[in-house]
Amino acid sequence: PHADPLLATEALGVRYGSFVALKDVTLRVRANSVHAIIGPNGAGKTTLFHALTGRVRAATGRITLAGRDITRVPDDDRVRLGLARSFQVTSLFATLSVRENLRLAAQGRTPWQALAPWRGVTGGTTALATAEEMLERLDLTRVALRPAGEMSHGQQRRLEVGMAMAARPRVILLDEPTSGMGTDDIGTMTALIRDLGRDHTVLFIEHNMGIVMNISDTVTVMRAGEVLVEGEPSAVRDDPEVRRAYLGNM
Ligand code: ATP
């Protein structure tokens, strides 16, 4: 028997004026899973993220988080309910140390992460412990005292994910977490996402099929605003429709 999904959409539709960007999108994201959204350019992946976070309005359908209907909930409140989206390095405090950035994030004192009320307020000691745990998992313990702004691009992107995680969201949305990275940074980032998926719920947009097949529990393939198929990586890879959509590039 399948548990209820933590994050779900039912027949979600989004329009930009008269253009239908999403149509009848049904998505089911299980708790503690790594879930990839793939699809060609213009498939509607980013629009789906915008709809989930409340940046664009759903024209039709429903969005639920932990069983609660959030379709009409404003974006800020969705963050408070535990839906986090990791943005690019702009939200780091460049002059503060890596550890201090993580500690502030664990306290919910970052611009985009409110307190996590369903877990209670995270106190000083807990925030420090969370920061230490994240440093380890991010493989950033060695650079804990360095200013965040002095780290490499790959390290900053990892810290960014870690900061979103430190506030203990229910679900984190990652928009192409490996884009623009070299091989080593891609390897470290994918290992991090796979590790986080053991006790967090990660939904991510990714173009690199090798990464998707390697680290995802579930893959949703989109095309032209609709879901083509959702399933385990191997089933998705072998799906004839998906193979046609990707012209065998998998
Ligand atoms: P990519 O992989 O290129 O980022 P995507 O799958 O994320 O693509 P979206 O960015 O969601 O796709 O775009 C879906 C469709 O909606 C595209 O045809 C795009 O041109 C259109 N679109 C996106 N934003 C707007 C907007 N603000 N107004 C009108 N059309 C838009």
Side-chain angles (χ1 to χ4, degrees):
H2 288 284
D4 285 338
L6 181 57
L7 176 68
T9 68
E10 272 169 47
L12 180 67
V14 169
R15 283 195 280 269
Y16 294 119
S18 60
F19 178 76
V20 178
L22 293 183
K23 184 171 174 259
D24 270 342
V25 169
T26 296
L27 175 77
R28 301 175 74 78
V29 181
R30 273 184 295 117
N32 299 335
S33 70
V34 174
H35 190 131
I37 308 282
I38 67 171
N41 290 341
K45 306 177 298 294
T46 306
T47 300
L48 175 60
F49 269 26
H50 288 341
L52 291 171
T53 58
R55 185 158 158 190
V56 302
R57 191 181 142 270
T60 60
R62 251 160 53 92
I63 304 169
T64 56
L65 177 64
R68 173 179 176 155
D69 189 330
I70 60 164
T71 317
R72 301 277 166 259
V73 171
D75 51 359
D76 289 353
D77 293 331
R78 293 188 202 194
V79 175
R80 272 186 279 279
L81 290 170
L83 192 64
R85 184 173 184 173
S86 174
F87 291 98
Q88 302 277 325
V89 289
T90 48
S91 44
L92 296 174
F93 297 98
T95 57
L96 295 182
S97 72
V98 171
R99 175 180 280 125
E100 196 62 7
N101 268 280
L102 283 167
R103 198 175 61 78
L104 289 173
Q107 290 177 335
R109 284 164 56 190
T110 58
W112 73 98
Q113 277 294 344
L115 288 168
W118 64 94
R119 294 207 181 239
V121 175
T122 314
T125 327
T126 315
L128 261 182
T130 302
E132 293 313 309
E133 181 205 325
M134 288 313 306
L135 280 172
E136 292 253 329
R137 295 182 75 169
L138 296 166
D139 194 21
L140 293 177
T141 309
R142 278 170 293 113
V143 293
L145 293 173
R146 283 181 59 191
E150 286 179 14
M151 293 194 305
S152 73
H153 178 68
Q155 289 173 324
Q156 291 191 16
R157 298 277 300 272
R158 246 158 43 233
L159 176 58
E160 190 68 24
V161 173
M163 286 173 68
M165 289 296 187
R168 308 260 184 227
R170 283 189 165 112
V171 182
I172 179 156
L173 276 49
L174 303 176
D175 208 327
E176 299 190 39
T178 65
S179 68
M181 284 185 180
T183 317
D184 287 354
D185 282 332
I186 288 177
T188 314
M189 178 62 89
T190 52
L192 171 64
I193 294 172
R194 186 155 49 186
D195 171 57
L196 290 171
R198 290 188 292 118
D199 54 356
H200 293 80
T201 307
V202 181
L203 181 65
F204 74 117
I205 296 174
E206 181 59 64
H207 282 285
N208 182 321
M209 213 51 65
I211 293 172
V212 168
M213 292 299 148
N214 253 321
I215 66 171
S216 311
D217 299 302
T218 310
V219 181
T220 298
V221 186
M222 297 184 66
R223 186 182 56 187
E226 298 188 78
V227 171
L228 203 57
V229 57
E230 181 170 289
E232 289 180 11
S234 55
V236 165
R237 192 185 45 218
D238 297 339
D239 186 282
E241 279 244 60
V242 174
R243 298 199 84 92
R244 262 198 297 282
Y246 278 88
L247 302 165
N249 288 329
M250 294 181 74

